[in-house]
Amino acid sequence: AAWQAAWRCDPELPLYGPDGFHPSELGTALAALVVYAGLTGADPGELPLDADEDATFALRAAAAEALAAARR
């Protein structure tokens, strides 16, 4: 759900690695955001990310959206 939300923000986000199967660094970062925020209750918008500004915004927004949907 988080990846789909991220692609709605930016369809060009490279969430898969070069083999088209495993996650890229951005895909891994998004998964980590969702897992960490889901376990701790932290706000994904406040967690650090080592990505460019546009990707950081998209990943944080996607993580928040996926977590909100899971809580419904």
Side-chain angles (χ1 to χ4, degrees), residues 27-44:
T28 300
L30 178 54
L33 276 177
V34 172
V35 171
Y36 183 82
L39 290 173
T40 66
D43 178 359

Side-chain angles (χ1 to χ4, degrees), residues 7-30:
W7 281 325
R8 282 192 295 277
C9 289
D10 181 353
E12 299 300 316
L13 281 174
L15 299 179
Y16 284 106
D19 65 4
F21 180 76
H22 293 93
S24 65
E25 287 184 33
L26 285 179
T28 300
L30 178 54

